[in-house]
Amino acid sequence: MGDVYYVDDLVVYADGAIKCEGTDLIDLAGLERRLTKGTVAVRDPGAQSSWGARYPEPLTPETFLLEVADRIEELSGRPTTAQRCHEAIRHYRQESTELGREALRKAYLAIPAHLRVYVLGDMERQDRPLRILLTDVGEPVDGDGPVVTEEMHRDVLEFFEEYDHGVTERPRPVYADDPAEAVPPPVVLRDVIYPRGWPEELDLFVLRNNYPAEVHFAGGTHPSVHEGYWTLAESHRGDDWSDVRLAVMAGLLRAKFTRHPDLAEILLATGNATISYTGNKESPYWRDAGSRGGRNWIGRLLELVRSELSWPTGE
């Protein structure tokens, strides 16, 4: 009998650890070895996938590895290949030069081949505007499509104008105390698991409540904000915890960043960006749940503490 393949989950962590085939943790190199040996396959070699025609190019072990690496980047809060491609589109719109078009071509080709079909999020166009723009004038698109003209390139730029901005919005009122510079994109604090331990190089993950940073608050010492909060919640007498919990969390966060200047620097480095605290463990009261709601109070309190750190003397 031949080898029997079965569908299994592949769990990818932000620190590059990968879990498959049981409980062993491997890395990208280990996954590559298993793909090469055939102990892991991207599809059952003996079966025909009805989804194969949906990909511009077939899924291969090499492109699968690239997709996993992309997922690690996303979990770590770093830009993915698709996000870099969108950034290259914006740069090209601002300055439509051959250098910009070449940079866009490299960014698009860096996306795993089997995913280069819905990068623009349009199922009907299937990235055709990008394919047209990245094809030189006088050459056929994809080798057998229409011959590209300068007018087609101009049409693509108009498409990107609509794609990037949509309907023209009414100008937002400017108030006297608004920041002079543009507000940066939101900072998203994801609930990331590091099975091999916290990274040595400090990054945004230190802003999470479960990061091990000792805090002194309310007469006690706690290993982290998370543990301090629940210790105080369990020891609280009375039925008004829901009324005081916001003040408790604010106090714990102030204690954390006052006691640890290196962590305060990470918080201050977020500038005046909105902080979105995501995850599934905390109540929606504390986290940003996207379209499902959520009050994002931890994110908002982090912004408050950041502002207080920026003006420590209150003068």
Side-chain angles (χ1 to χ4, degrees):
M1 294 181 62
D3 294 329
V4 177
Y5 287 83
Y6 60 92
V7 178
D8 199 0
D9 291 327
L10 185 78
V11 183
V12 181
Y13 297 96
D15 64 351
I18 300 169
K19 181 180 179 182
C20 70
E21 289 190 291
T23 59
D24 292 340
L25 289 175
I26 58 175
D27 55 14
L28 274 176
L31 179 59
E32 183 176 13
R33 287 193 294 271
R34 296 187 184 203
L35 287 165
T36 302
K37 289 173 61 178
T39 56
V40 175
V42 295
R43 59 166 58 92
D44 187 343
Q48 295 295 324
S49 172
S50 61
W51 295 95
R54 294 179 179 267
Y55 297 121
E57 295 186 30
L59 177 64
T60 66
E62 291 75 20
T63 57
F64 180 64
L65 280 170
L66 292 175
E67 184 179 359
V68 173
D70 227 10
R71 181 62 174 160
I72 292 171
E73 293 296 288
E74 181 182 10
L75 289 170
S76 300
R78 295 187 290 268
T80 63
T81 52
Q83 289 169 334
R84 291 192 183 99
C85 183
H86 282 275
E87 186 63 26
I89 291 173
R90 284 190 285 272
H91 281 301
Y92 184 74
R93 284 186 53 251
Q94 294 169 1
E95 190 173 352
S96 303
T97 64
E98 278 303 304
L99 284 176
R101 194 166 71 97
E102 182 59 29
L104 176 54
R105 178 185 285 110
K106 290 180 179 179
Y108 185 63
L109 294 179
I111 297 171
H114 63 285
L115 300 179
R116 291 200 297 264
V117 60
Y118 299 136
V119 176
L120 297 179
D122 191 325
M123 296 183 67
E124 293 184 4
R125 289 188 172 86
Q126 295 188 344
D127 290 352
R128 278 192 290 273
L130 267 175
R131 295 173 183 271
I132 290 171
L133 182 60
L134 301 182
T135 302
D136 294 335
V137 172
E139 297 293 329
V141 180
D142 295 333
D144 58 357
V147 175
V148 172
T149 64
E150 291 184 0
E151 183 180 1
M152 291 169 69
H153 277 186
R154 288 194 295 270
D155 289 343
V156 170
L157 283 175
E158 291 181 6
F159 164 78
F160 282 140
E161 186 74 27
E162 298 176 2
Y163 167 80
D164 205 27
H165 293 288
V167 179
T168 302
E169 298 180 357
R170 181 180 299 176
R172 187 182 71 85
V174 178
Y175 299 98
D177 59 347
D178 278 351
E181 68 280 0
V183 177
V187 172
V188 181
L189 303 183
R190 295 181 173 85
D191 186 10
V192 179
I193 298 173
Y194 296 95
R196 296 173 178 170
W198 295 95
E200 293 184 4
E201 184 176 352
L202 301 184
D203 207 336
L204 290 174
F205 57 80
V206 305
L207 306 185
R208 298 288 306 189
N209 282 358
N210 61 332
Y211 181 74
E214 190 175 79
V215 293
H216 299 300
F217 180 71
T221 300
H222 312 284
S224 68
V225 169
H226 175 80
E227 294 189 44
Y229 177 84
W230 286 109
T231 296
L232 293 168
E234 291 169 3
S235 63
H236 182 72
R237 299 181 182 276
D239 56 2
D240 61 341
W241 179 250
S242 61
D243 297 329
V244 302
R245 58 178 175 168
L246 192 61
V248 171
M249 184 65 77
L252 285 165
L253 289 172
R254 286 192 184 97
K256 172 181 176 178
F257 293 103
T258 301
R259 179 175 175 79
H260 301 281
D262 52 343
L263 308 188
E265 288 182 11
I266 302 292
L267 178 58
L268 287 168
T270 61
N272 64 340
T274 299
I275 297 178
S276 172
Y277 196 94
T278 66
N280 296 311
K281 298 175 183 176
E282 289 85 0
S283 157
Y285 178 82
W286 295 116
R287 60 184 168 88
D288 184 352
S291 60
R292 298 185 300 277
R295 299 182 66 180
N296 192 37
W297 265 115
I298 294 178
R300 294 157 72 181
L301 289 175
L302 284 169
E303 293 175 32
L304 173 63
V305 173
R306 179 183 64 193
S307 180
E308 293 172 346
L309 291 170
S310 300
W311 197 34
T313 61
E315 296 177 354

